[in-house]
Amino acid sequence: MKTKIFPLYLIVYISTAFCSTSCENEIPYNPPYSEPQLIMNALLDAGEPENYVFLNLSGTYGLSHVEEATVNLYVNGQLTEKAEELPPLKPIGSLDMVYDPNAPLNNLPEIAKRKKFRITTTLTPGDDILLEAIAENGKYHITAEMTVPHPVNPIQVDTCLAKLRVWNGWETYRQYKITLQDRPGKKNFYRLDIRNDIATYGLYDNHKDTIIHSRETEIVNREDIVLTDGNPSSSDDDEDDFFGTYIENKYNVFTNDRFSDTHCTLKVYTKLYNNYIPGNLYNITRRTRSITVRLLSISEAEFRYLKALNLLESDNYEEALMEPIIIPTNVKGGLGFVGISSETRTTIQFPDEIIDPDEMYTKE
């Protein structure tokens, strides 16, 4: 007896037609009310003179504002600082016209209304840190504990200009080879940060001399085997990623799994920013630039937190098709995450660049 085999395209067509004629019932989703919780977020850096702590309230449909709060910093069990609350941001753009100094939170998006506190205490490797937040006259009381990690030994940074393939063409980028020595005897977690700081001198809309300070932190790490967790790629690979499987390591976090107790050299790139022009600035006459390469030692909890953000913020993350992402929290009595890092840095200072406004747009 001869068996008849249906072509695959017929099976797909029948399945599609069946689905298109099926009934659709819209089921309303009304999540139950849950009591708001205080959210505390902070990524502290022992190498910075100032650190910041942010507070919000959770809600069923989004964040809400904290009316009254205090933040205290304890170091090794001793209260060392009552954090300074900073004023809310002033609306920008067209919202300036309706800015009311007596109601500074008007017209601000909810994320900009969050309470912001400044900490200036010097944090030392090995210190036990506790952050405490109390809000709404004692209704909310939350804490987060961590230990300041130890930094790596001084890093070596070598740079050169190199061609990099970008969208079917080649552009000149600055290449970095960053050599670090792993801290021996344990599993370590790191983060790479490169800051291109630019000060541009020119004229603004009010026709007065103006200096605009800018910071660019984008890093191209696709060729590095450590920062890509063993999956280096090229520009062609990124462009041909039809199914969107590539998740960029935008926070540049990594472990010592591939170089435990020995040294490692990372290879990354940044743009040159030779023709960097801040918005609304004209008749540019001078520019100063510096590059700071920072290698941060972080905790395992912060590593996992930033890895989760990498996924959540990726253009290739599809909430409907992928497993839900659980954002780690280490805040007791509330929500949020508090991390702390120690850094080793190298700074490259460029000489001041005198610019002829008539030539800057043609300069390579």
Side-chain angles (χ1 to χ4, degrees):
M1 184 176 67
K2 191 173 183 181
T3 304
K4 190 173 183 180
I5 302 177
F6 283 88
L8 177 60
Y9 72 86
L10 278 178
I11 298 174
V12 174
Y13 174 78
I14 294 171
S15 301
T16 305
F18 177 78
C19 292
S20 64
T21 58
S22 62
C23 296
E24 293 186 4
N25 292 320
E26 195 172 304
I27 302 175
Y29 174 63
N30 295 312
Y33 173 79
S34 58
E35 187 69 24
Q37 296 188 65
L38 187 59
I39 306 171
M40 177 166 62
N41 286 306
L43 291 180
L44 310 178
D45 184 348
E48 294 291 341
E50 296 181 350
N51 285 287
Y52 302 96
V53 182
F54 301 91
L55 299 181
N56 278 103
L57 286 175
S58 68
T60 303
Y61 298 100
L63 299 176
S64 58
H65 178 60
V66 179
E67 296 293 340
E68 176 274 332
T70 58
V71 171
N72 299 316
L73 173 69
Y74 294 82
V75 179
N76 298 322
Q78 300 295 319
L79 175 62
T80 59
E81 183 176 359
K82 292 183 178 293
E84 175 193 3
E85 182 179 347
L86 300 179
L89 296 174
K90 180 181 177 181
I92 60 175
S94 61
L95 295 180
D96 280 336
M97 295 183 296
V98 294
Y99 178 70
D100 181 358
N102 297 319
L105 298 183
N106 286 352
N107 304 308
L108 279 178
E110 196 60 52
I111 190 65
K113 296 180 184 179
R114 58 184 179 173
K115 290 283 188 182
K116 183 177 181 180
F117 296 83
R118 176 164 52 200
I119 292 174
T120 58
T121 297
T122 300
L123 305 175
T124 305
D127 284 345
D128 293 323
I129 304 298
L130 184 143
L131 269 181
E132 174 189 57
I134 304 172
E136 314 301 31
N137 296 315
K139 179 179 180 180
Y140 302 100
H141 185 187
I142 62 177
T143 59
E145 299 180 64
M146 67 230 78
T147 300
V148 184
H150 290 269
V152 298
N153 290 328
I155 57 177
Q156 177 181 328
V157 179
D158 297 305
T159 71
C160 68
L161 301 185
K163 292 291 185 179
L164 189 66
R165 182 73 177 271
V166 180
W167 296 107
N168 295 320
W170 294 89
E171 293 184 13
T172 302
Y173 274 61
R174 189 175 305 280
Q175 182 191 90
Y176 304 77
K177 290 187 177 179
I178 304 160
T179 302
L180 65 135
Q181 174 66 46
D182 183 42
R183 295 185 60 243
K186 59 183 296 187
K187 183 167 183 176
N188 295 308
F189 302 86
Y190 301 110
R191 179 183 180 188
L192 176 64
D193 177 47
I194 299 178
R195 297 173 172 178
N196 279 269
D197 289 311
I198 307 166
T200 309
Y201 298 73
L203 297 179
Y204 197 56
D205 290 339
N206 56 9
H207 304 288
K208 294 182 179 179
D209 292 340
T210 303
I211 305 174
I212 294 184
H213 296 274
S214 309
R215 171 170 290 171
E216 299 292 336
T217 58
E218 181 182 0
I219 298 175
V220 179
N221 60 23
R222 65 178 182 233
E223 294 183 0
D224 188 78
I225 193 170
V226 173
L227 289 169
T228 61
D229 198 18
N231 297 290
S233 64
S234 66
S235 176
D236 292 337
D237 294 331
D238 296 342
E239 293 171 16
D240 296 337
D241 187 18
F242 179 78
F243 293 102
T245 57
Y246 176 68
I247 302 296
E248 181 184 3
N249 182 9
K250 63 178 294 184
Y251 288 100
N252 298 287
V253 293
F254 59 101
T255 72
N256 65 340
D257 288 346
R258 297 179 184 275
F259 58 97
S260 180
D261 295 342
T262 185
H263 69 276
C264 161
T265 298
L266 308 173
K267 185 175 77 170
V268 297
Y269 301 84
T270 68
K271 294 180 180 180
L272 297 183
Y273 303 108
N274 282 343
N275 297 324
Y276 188 87
I277 305 174
N280 298 325
L281 197 66
Y282 61 97
N283 281 356
I284 296 173
T285 58
R286 185 158 64 97
R287 183 189 294 119
T288 63
R289 290 189 295 164
S290 66
I291 298 174
T292 302
V293 180
R294 304 164 67 235
L295 198 287
L296 292 85
S297 296
I298 61 177
S299 66
E300 181 177 2
E302 185 169 341
F303 171 80
R304 297 188 181 281
Y305 173 74
L306 294 175
K307 287 281 282 186
L309 291 187
N310 271 330
L311 287 170
L312 191 63
E313 297 175 7
S314 172
D315 293 335
N316 289 334
Y317 174 68
E318 294 291 343
E319 186 176 359
L321 301 177
M322 299 181 179
E323 293 184 3
I325 297 174
I326 299 176
I327 303 296
T329 179
N330 61 352
V331 175
K332 296 180 180 179
L335 301 173
F337 184 84
V338 177
I340 189 167
S341 61
S342 290
E343 68 170 53
T344 298
R345 68 167 61 189
T346 293
T347 300
I348 305 169
Q349 182 69 51
F350 293 88
D352 286 7
E353 181 182 7
I354 306 302
I355 299 171
D356 183 344
D358 295 329
E359 298 180 359
M360 68 172 301
Y361 295 101
T362 59
K363 182 178 178 181
E364 293 294 330

